[in-house]
Amino acid sequence: ERFRSHLRFQSPHRAHAGIGFAHINDYVNGWSDDPERSLEMGIAAAERAIQMDDNEMQGHFSLAVGMLFRREHDKALDKARRCLAMAPNSAEGHMVLANILNYSGRAEEAITVLESYRRLDPHHPDLALYFLADAEASIGRFEAAVETLKLRLERNPNSETTYALLAACYGHLGQVDESRAAWAEVMRLAPHYS
């Protein structure tokens, strides 16, 4: 009984924020049978969390991710900055801000934010290396991107998206054989990759 009464006092806004992120994550990873519905449900739940408590950092974080994938970059930037204003050392907040900046055509800023992120989380997931390489490639630093992608492949040798970006970078560098070899890895790992 005491445990049940304790549960009644847990913050429902945190639950909405978590549910929102779960739905958005379903969309991002293609796990949902109806991805667009998952994205909209995730955004709605994150918005509800913020309506319940505007200081719910996870709600702002989830909404930043949702707005990024809805391609509403200004709103996404606003939510990511709000998240970081509440939690300046949030590694995840820095990562989402970097992605939003990169997709907004501000790759130099994204790289700076990713460097901060990597200092905040020295054991960062290998996905951060992909995001860094993507930003490096988008401003023509293809050699740096290749080196970053090789680091990611050391940690995650079965990432078809990494091999795809690697193939593109090698292509920009005029290294046709290396590009073809990287693309062959994409096809080996994900034959229906497009």
Side-chain angles (χ1 to χ4, degrees):
E1 179 61 39
R2 189 169 178 214
F3 181 70
R4 275 193 300 240
S5 82
H6 174 71
L7 287 177
R8 278 182 250 151
F9 294 104
Q10 293 298 312
S11 53
H13 53 87
R14 287 192 183 139
H16 282 279
I19 290 167
F21 187 70
H23 283 296
I24 293 166
N25 206 26
D26 282 347
Y27 169 84
V28 171
N29 288 293
W31 295 332
S32 173
D33 292 334
D34 188 350
E36 293 303 319
R37 183 169 183 265
S38 290
L39 179 61
E40 294 311 312
M41 288 173 58
I43 288 171
E47 286 174 336
R48 179 73 177 124
I50 293 168
Q51 287 169 354
M52 296 170 86
D53 182 354
D54 191 47
N55 292 316
E56 176 50 57
M57 188 274 295
Q58 185 64 39
H60 288 281
F61 171 79
S62 298
L63 204 49
V65 176
M67 291 295 136
L68 170 62
F69 283 96
R70 202 193 253 176
R71 297 188 175 127
E72 294 183 32
H73 297 144
D74 289 339
K75 288 181 183 176
L77 275 171
D78 178 60
K79 294 302 171 188
R81 287 188 174 123
R82 179 80 168 100
C83 169
L84 286 171
M86 289 182 278
N89 291 327
S90 167
E92 295 81 8
H94 280 83
M95 189 189 303
V96 75
L97 176 61
N99 280 329
I100 296 164
L101 289 168
N102 188 38
Y103 290 125
S104 298
R106 298 161 64 180
E108 291 279 357
E109 290 175 73
I111 291 169
T112 300
V113 172
L114 280 167
E115 289 168 356
S116 296
Y117 165 78
R118 292 174 67 196
R119 282 191 300 277
L120 287 168
D121 184 359
H123 301 289
H124 57 289
D126 62 271
L127 185 59
L129 295 169
Y130 178 85
F131 293 150
L132 176 59
D134 191 35
E136 290 168 335
S138 59
I139 55 175
R141 295 184 189 165
F142 299 112
E143 291 165 347
V146 165
E147 292 309 311
T148 302
L149 292 166
K150 286 179 180 178
L151 289 174
R152 183 177 192 211
L153 288 171
E154 287 175 11
R155 292 173 65 185
N156 182 356
N158 294 316
S159 170
E160 69 273 6
T161 56
T162 301
Y163 280 111
L165 183 54
L166 187 60
C169 290
Y170 279 137
H172 282 286
L173 292 169
Q175 298 176 6
V176 176
D177 291 340
E178 291 86 347
S179 180
R180 286 185 179 141
W183 191 254
E185 286 300 306
V186 174
M187 292 294 98
R188 180 184 68 79
L189 293 166
H192 302 292
Y193 188 89
S194 171

